[in-house]
Amino acid sequence: GRWSAVMSNPFAHLVEPLDHNKPDRKFYNLLKLRDPRYDRLPFSIRMLLESAVRNCDGFLVKQSDVESILNWEQTQTQSVEVPFRPARVILQDFTGVPAVVDFAAMRDAVANLGGDPEKINPVCPADLVIDHSIQVDFNRNIQTLCPFMKQPIPKNQDLEFDRNKERFEFLKWGSKAFRNMRIIPPGSGIVHQVNLEYLARVVFDQEGFYYPDSLVGTDSHTTMINGLGVLGWGVGGIEAEAVMLGQPISMVLPEVIGYRLQGAPDKLITSTDIVLTVTKHLRQVGVVGKFVEFFGPGVAQLSIADRATIANMCPEYGATAAFFPVDHISVQYLEQTGRDAERLDYITRYLKAVAMFRDYSNTCQDPNFTQVHELDLSTVVPCCSGPKRPQDRVAVSDMKTDFEACLAAKQGFKGFQVAPERRNAEVSFRYSDQEYSLSHGSVVIAAITSCTNTSNPSVMLGAGLLAKKAIQAGLSVKPYIKTSLSPGSGVVTYYLKASGVMDYLFQLGFEVVGYGCMTCIGNSGPLPDPVVEAITQGDLVATGILSGNRNFEGRVHPNTRANYLASPPLVIAYAIAGTVRINFDTEPIGIKGKEVFLRDIWPTREEIQAVEREFVIPAMFKEVYEKIEKVNERWNDLTASSDKLYTWDPKSTYIKSPPFFSGLTKELQSPRSITDAYVLLNLGDSVTTDHISPAGNIARQSPAARYLTSKGLHPRDFNSYGSRRGNDAVMARGTFANIRLLNKLLNKQGSHTLHLPSNETLDVFDAAERYQEAGLPLIILAGKEYGSGSSRDWAAKGPFLLGIKAVLAESYERIHRSNLVGMGVIPLEYLAGDTADSLGLTGRERYTVVIPDTHTPRMVVDIKLDTGKTFKARMRFDTDVELTYFHHGGILNYMIRKMSENKRDRVVPCRTPASAMRMAPLSSV
């Protein structure tokens, strides 16, 4: 039991009651280590140390691991691996459904091998928030009744349920079949905002012990919770499944970059401006795979929502975590969001007792950092980021000239290569019996969306106050622009309504379209047909403006080639202007009898804070979250079996038993060389997981569409790739189906490739199927930062199902590389100085990867071509544990074999690759 584990812990002498009036509530008092190194550790590293001390069992976590963490100042640059046991796991439904599918299939596989299927069960708390399914099908005059306030909500939510009923029934089965799994129903909010406002414990009180809250999540923006002083980051779904099964993550002790904030922001600056500035700066500094820890007097100028916004975009600046230690403002936030007084008391007492409670004004508390960088908040100016990457910050005053420069520039991250004579093209069209025109830079999507910003009352109320002033000035938004407001929780609706600004947002077209990620993940829904026709006719660079965190080409909408990230007030401003080709400093946003400039209607921080103090109150959070698990009546009405093994429905097009474990035996099969492989795709730099495994709409002429049609579905019922992740047949067909994928074998964008034996151009899936039918192995050639972007396990599962045995790239994004390892796909990396171009590779050769009989981490192997050329590459299995997974054909195969053993063997720790802490730059993206 728990106490026997404590007594066998070599650090049991540190255990003592936090409050002597409650002797049954104990904690590990790290100060009793009496080790002067502890006081110098960054607060984020203290979190890792506490976990190692508390979980030290001499096997999965050793005393030497504790010593390595204590000795961080010396070990941080030595690639020392340590285990980390997160307190919990969080999932969203796009990644959560395939995780539960894998769990169900693993139970079948364990049963088939003679083991106990109930061993496949989460052993730590796992929360799954359904937030990725809802789409913006309707966006104006669309309201029905809201469960949070008995106020109108959009019919998008009903449509979400109609489309996803099978998935939701399956998840409801999962919540019954698996212990420790809680499902937050659709219509509740965005996973990271719900985590911040409701799920976060900050300090756990469990099984008689207090200890810090920590987590991993199947979404790269899990880092948002770092803003509240909870350490967490995104991992692939495959790794998350292993953590849920009790495996510690092993990580290389990271360098910790101290980021000192000083000064105060100008009264017109938003938290979005700050995070886009930080993102660009930290990209330039280079924080890939490192922790960033914020300190300095400027931190006290930031609310928890502001800090969470900065932590949210951690993947965009490349760090693993972006940590704000808990301080008195954190505790005030917990009180504001309805946490009870007893919890606030033990959180504060515990964190002070272990020296993890921060006073940002006290420089004596400043720990040692690897390096220190600084930002003066007073230097931040209003800005956006785009048109294709989140780190490409553009000052609002430069937006017009920057966009026009992008029109002229060569095709690339900052270029569209529009011919000079076409740069002022204009196309007229009719919409709702009115004549309008579009040109390059015209705004056609304006979305207040995403956990990054909708969790922050200051920017949401700022948008509402700007809308109020705009309406009072007689301004409006053209009706063809697809406007939307998708809050991250019901609390947002509550305070926008209570403060009186919701009606003004409504009048500008920013209605609540649903509670979920929506436009930010590509669930933007269709544009009006006349708008699409005008864009197509003029080959226009139309624009989306969104308060999101990612704007990769092809992600937001196929018809918006330029997409800019901006604060919610700026989203409204550009929607009113109707174009990004405007200089708000010198040009009016509208003319209603007189010129109206943006500065005339822009609210100050003081105005916003006054409204926030009055209307964002604890009662709102309590009312919304007390009923969150039961508020959706359609969810409550779903029926689900309580059987421990899932009964697969062969007719289902959403949930299908995956073939990952078919033919799995207890005996290991030795890895073999890859012989005479063909190249399926020859790709360049910054291929994202959106390119590899899209989440958005399913094109009508695609292999996935043909499959769904063969099952009797009409296009209106296709839904999105993200919603179909429980069906491997759809996902395999959707692999590399992004219309913006540039394949050098064809030298053009699209989801096609060259089938080399026949020299035919085919859909990627159809070509892969032909190769597989002929028994021919496949590889991928790629450039730098392969697999950047979202932590998407299907970006590894899909290639595996296509028969891809290896990827040869210049570098990898950390989560994607570990996902390839998890699926048994070999991540090969060119040696320093080598590239496909320098080696003269065209992708038309055949490749033999020579795998020797004995393997070591990061070993160099020979690659032989049918042309007679030979070169070397590194196998990116970075640890012995990763090699173990490779021998088993992937981490899930390994887990099944271990769980099928009748004896109660301890399981080797799940080692997130050493490189898992070395995230590739998102520029990359």
Side-chain angles (χ1 to χ4, degrees):
R2 177 69 179 172
W3 280 105
S4 62
V6 170
M7 296 314 294
S8 63
N9 187 320
F11 297 98
H13 63 283
L14 303 182
V15 174
E16 63 179 48
L18 179 65
D19 181 343
H20 289 284
N21 294 320
K22 296 180 179 178
D24 59 333
R25 292 287 193 277
K26 302 178 185 296
F27 75 111
Y28 282 82
N29 187 349
L30 300 183
L31 299 188
K32 287 171 68 175
L33 288 168
R34 294 182 174 83
D35 193 315
R37 293 174 296 178
Y38 182 75
D39 293 331
R40 301 196 300 267
L41 290 179
F43 282 59
S44 51
I45 300 299
R46 297 179 198 188
M47 296 278 184
L48 299 182
L49 178 67
E50 191 283 335
S51 173
V53 165
R54 178 167 38 87
N55 291 293
C56 189
D57 61 357
F59 179 71
L60 295 179
V61 184
K62 301 176 181 177
Q63 280 184 270
S64 58
D65 295 320
V66 172
E67 174 59 25
S68 293
I69 301 172
L70 267 171
N71 204 33
W72 170 84
E73 286 186 79
Q74 278 65 50
T75 56
Q76 58 173 306
T77 58
Q78 297 172 7
S79 296
V80 172
E81 275 192 273
V82 294
F84 173 53
R85 292 202 62 169
R88 59 190 175 98
V89 174
I90 196 164
L91 310 97
Q92 37 88 341
D93 58 300
F94 270 15
T95 50
V97 167
V100 179
V101 166
D102 286 349
F103 268 36
M106 288 172 76
R107 278 193 169 181
D108 290 344
V110 168
N112 291 338
L113 293 180
D116 177 5
E118 285 205 55
K119 285 186 178 179
I120 302 295
N121 204 80
V123 296
C124 66
D127 296 302
L128 191 159
V129 180
I130 301 174
D131 67 350
H132 273 52
S133 302
I134 190 166
Q135 302 183 39
V136 191
D137 291 281
F138 306 99
N139 69 306
R140 297 203 188 197
N141 302 312
I142 57 172
Q143 309 292 329
T144 55
L145 196 65
C146 171
F148 290 114
M149 299 174 59
K150 301 304 178 189
Q151 296 287 344
I153 61 159
K155 54 187 178 184
N156 291 314
Q157 193 164 302
D158 280 337
L159 192 51
E160 172 193 21
F161 230 96
D162 293 340
R163 284 177 173 146
N164 295 284
K165 187 180 178 187
E166 282 183 53
R167 297 172 68 240
F168 294 168
E169 286 175 335
F170 175 69
L171 288 175
K172 194 147 194 185
W173 167 80
S175 68
K176 290 183 174 182
F178 298 108
R179 296 188 303 277
N180 281 329
M181 182 173 285
R182 171 170 50 179
I183 309 286
I184 304 297
S188 302
I190 300 174
V191 56
H192 306 305
Q193 185 164 345
V194 174
N195 193 18
L196 194 68
E197 296 175 352
Y198 175 59
L199 299 175
R201 282 75 157 178
V202 182
V203 170
F204 264 85
D205 173 9
Q206 192 156 308
E207 295 183 336
F209 276 82
Y210 296 113
Y211 54 92
D213 189 3
S214 60
L215 72 155
V216 290
T218 58
D219 189 284
S220 47
H221 294 104
T222 299
T223 52
M224 185 171 185
I225 201 64
N226 292 178
L228 187 56
V230 176
L231 186 63
W233 58 85
V235 297
I238 301 162
E239 290 174 279
E241 291 166 34
V243 172
M244 284 190 278
L245 291 172
Q247 298 284 75
I249 282 177
S250 189
M251 54 186 282
V252 168
L253 264 177
E255 296 181 8
V256 181
I257 305 302
Y259 199 71
R260 187 173 189 274
L261 297 177
Q262 64 174 8
D266 181 83
K267 64 181 181 179
L268 300 180
I269 294 301
T270 68
S271 58
T272 316
D273 302 320
I274 296 171
V275 71
L276 296 180
T277 302
V278 168
T279 298
K280 182 175 183 180
H281 184 205
L282 286 176
R283 271 278 164 200
Q284 294 168 336
V285 166
V287 294
V288 171
K290 303 173 185 179
F291 283 5
V292 174
E293 187 166 307
F294 293 85
F295 74 110
V299 177
Q301 300 291 320
L302 302 176
S303 68
I304 294 304
D306 290 340
R307 299 176 195 181
T309 297
I310 294 168
N312 176 280
M313 287 192 71
C314 174
E316 280 65 53
Y317 42 87
T320 299
F323 193 66
F324 289 85
V326 172
D327 69 343
H328 71 283
I329 295 176
S330 314
V331 177
Q332 289 171 7
Y333 175 83
L334 293 172
E335 184 177 16
Q336 181 190 40
T337 50
R339 271 72 165 205
D340 63 67
E342 182 184 359
R343 182 186 291 193
L344 301 185
D345 178 63
Y346 73 67
I347 287 172
T348 304
R349 287 164 60 96
Y350 169 77
L351 292 174
K352 286 183 176 179
V354 291
M356 293 187 196
F357 195 89
R358 193 74 163 94
D359 177 356
Y360 287 99
S361 65
N362 182 2
T363 56
C364 295
Q365 263 199 353
D366 291 352
N368 290 351
F369 294 110
T370 309
Q371 297 172 20
V372 172
H373 294 272
E374 192 168 287
L375 175 67
D376 184 343
L377 294 173
S378 67
T379 64
V380 176
V381 298
C383 55
C384 301
S385 279
K388 300 181 185 182
R389 299 189 303 182
Q391 66 266 35
D392 292 330
R393 187 185 68 89
V394 186
V396 170
S397 57
D398 296 332
M399 274 286 283
K400 181 178 182 178
T401 54
D402 188 82
F403 179 81
E404 290 175 348
C406 289
L407 287 181
K410 183 180 177 182
Q411 183 72 38
F413 295 128
K414 292 287 287 187
F416 296 103
Q417 206 165 337
V418 176
E421 66 276 10
R422 296 293 305 153
R423 289 174 198 162
N424 293 310
E426 197 168 301
V427 180
S428 297
F429 67 100
R430 289 188 68 79
Y431 181 79
S432 296
D433 297 323
Q434 295 286 322
E435 194 77 18
Y436 300 98
S437 65
L438 293 179
S439 56
H440 296 299
S442 289
V443 173
V444 295
I445 290 177
I448 298 175
T449 181
S450 171
C451 51
T452 309
N453 285 293
T454 68
S455 59
N456 194 325
S458 67
V459 291
M460 297 302 288
L461 288 168
L465 291 172
L466 184 137
K468 178 179 180 179
K469 293 184 178 188
I471 291 295
Q472 290 171 343
L475 302 177
S476 62
V477 175
K478 294 181 178 68
Y480 64 80
I481 296 176
K482 188 157 192 180
T483 48
S484 60
L485 167 59
S486 49
S489 80
V491 174
V492 179
T493 307
Y494 211 135
Y495 66 65
L496 290 177
K497 187 80 176 175
S499 61
V501 297
M502 183 69 93
D503 287 344
Y504 298 103
L505 289 163
F506 187 99
Q507 289 177 61
L508 288 179
F510 289 90
E511 297 183 37
V512 174
V513 293
Y515 296 90
C517 300
M518 304 188 89
T519 299
C520 187
I521 56 159
N523 285 355
S524 49
L527 290 173
D529 288 340
V531 172
V532 174
E533 289 163 10
I535 293 170
T536 305
Q537 180 186 332
D539 193 21
L540 298 176
V541 181
T543 302
I545 187 106
L546 66 152
S547 63
N549 47 41
R550 287 193 172 146
N551 53 343
F552 312 135
E553 194 175 15
R555 178 184 175 99
V556 174
H557 193 282
N559 295 113
T560 57
R561 289 163 62 191
N563 297 282
Y564 287 92
L565 308 181
S567 66
L570 277 176
V571 170
I572 293 177
Y574 280 109
I576 293 170
T579 180
V580 294
R581 295 172 84 170
I582 181 172
N583 184 334
F584 286 128
D585 290 345
T586 59
E587 300 173 63
I589 193 172
I591 300 175
K592 291 294 177 181
K594 64 172 185 175
E595 292 183 339
V596 179
F597 287 85
L598 180 57
R599 58 180 171 268
D600 299 329
I601 60 172
W602 192 269
T604 66
R605 283 176 76 88
E606 289 79 7
E607 288 178 81
I608 295 166
Q609 287 167 355
V611 175
E612 183 176 351
R613 280 193 296 270
E614 183 176 355
F615 293 105
V616 183
I617 56 176
M620 291 181 177
F621 292 88
K622 286 181 177 175
E623 184 171 340
V624 166
Y625 284 113
E626 276 173 356
K627 54 192 177 185
I628 193 167
E629 292 180 52
K630 296 295 181 185
V631 73
N632 190 317
E633 292 184 7
R634 291 193 67 177
W635 173 265
N636 298 339
D637 291 341
L638 284 179
T639 56
S641 145
S642 55
D643 294 345
K644 298 305 179 185
L645 294 178
Y646 185 68
T647 305
W648 306 96
D649 179 359
K651 296 179 183 176
S652 173
T653 57
Y654 278 102
I655 305 298
K656 179 176 174 289
S657 181
F660 305 138
F661 314 122
S662 58
L664 182 67
T665 62
K666 285 189 176 181
E667 297 74 32
L668 290 184
Q669 308 296 319
S670 298
R672 301 175 187 170
S673 295
I674 301 169
T675 305
D676 286 334
Y678 280 97
V679 173
L680 182 62
L681 292 155
N682 184 1
L683 306 171
D685 295 343
S686 302
V687 171
T688 71
T689 52
D690 281 292
H691 289 117
I692 304 167
S693 184
N697 66 303
I698 298 173
R700 294 190 179 192
Q701 303 304 316
S702 65
R706 293 198 296 272
Y707 168 82
L708 292 171
T709 300
S710 75
K711 297 293 183 180
L713 272 66
H714 299 288
R716 66 176 178 272
D717 301 317
F718 285 173
N719 211 333
S720 64
Y721 281 114
S723 68
R724 296 276 178 187
R725 286 184 185 163
N727 185 321
D728 62 273
V730 174
M731 296 310 296
R733 287 164 174 79
T735 303
F736 296 110
N738 190 308
I739 60 171
R740 301 298 179 193
L741 182 71
L742 180 61
N743 178 10
K744 295 180 185 178
L745 289 177
L746 297 175
N747 207 28
K748 63 179 182 180
Q749 288 184 332
S751 54
H752 299 88
T753 195
L754 195 64
H755 179 252
L756 293 167
S758 67
N759 210 37
E760 286 183 68
T761 297
L762 301 172
D763 286 310
V764 171
F765 174 81
D766 294 336
E769 192 172 45
R770 276 205 202 173
Y771 284 119
Q772 284 191 299
E773 287 170 353
L776 298 170
L778 296 169
I779 67 168
I780 297 287
L781 297 184
K784 298 181 183 71
E785 292 105 30
Y786 180 75
S788 299
S790 303
S791 57
R792 193 165 292 175
D793 57 342
W794 265 108
K797 290 176 175 176
F800 170 83
L801 292 177
L802 294 187
I804 292 164
K805 305 300 182 186
V807 178
L808 176 58
E810 292 177 52
S811 62
Y812 294 86
E813 188 273 341
R814 70 171 181 96
I815 297 176
H816 183 64
R817 191 198 65 79
S818 72
N819 275 337
L820 291 174
V821 172
M823 288 308 299
V825 177
I826 303 174
L828 295 166
E829 192 169 274
Y830 294 104
L831 298 185
D834 285 352
T835 66
D837 289 341
S838 73
L839 293 170
L841 307 181
T842 66
R844 293 172 179 266
E845 310 88 353
R846 297 184 73 174
Y847 292 68
T848 294
V849 181
V850 181
I851 310 290
D853 292 335
T854 56
H855 311 126
T856 56
R858 297 178 63 86
M859 70 183 296
V860 173
V861 296
D862 288 324
I863 300 179
K864 299 179 179 179
L865 308 183
D866 62 343
T867 61
K869 183 180 182 71
T870 298
F871 63 96
K872 295 182 183 294
R874 190 176 305 281
M875 280 207 306
R876 285 293 310 279
F877 298 116
D878 289 357
T879 67
D880 287 325
V881 177
E882 286 193 357
L883 285 171
T884 300
Y885 298 153
F886 175 51
H887 296 158
H888 281 265
I891 187 173
L892 300 185
N893 290 356
Y894 168 78
M895 294 299 297
I896 288 169
R897 288 191 174 106
K898 297 303 286 186
M899 296 291 184
S900 300
E901 294 174 358
N902 291 322
K903 58 181 184 294
R904 300 178 66 85
D905 281 358
R906 298 193 184 199
V907 183
V908 173
C910 161
R911 302 259 178 195
T912 295
S915 64
M917 305 305 291
R918 301 186 193 121
M919 189 178 202
L922 246 158
S923 85
S924 22
V925 246

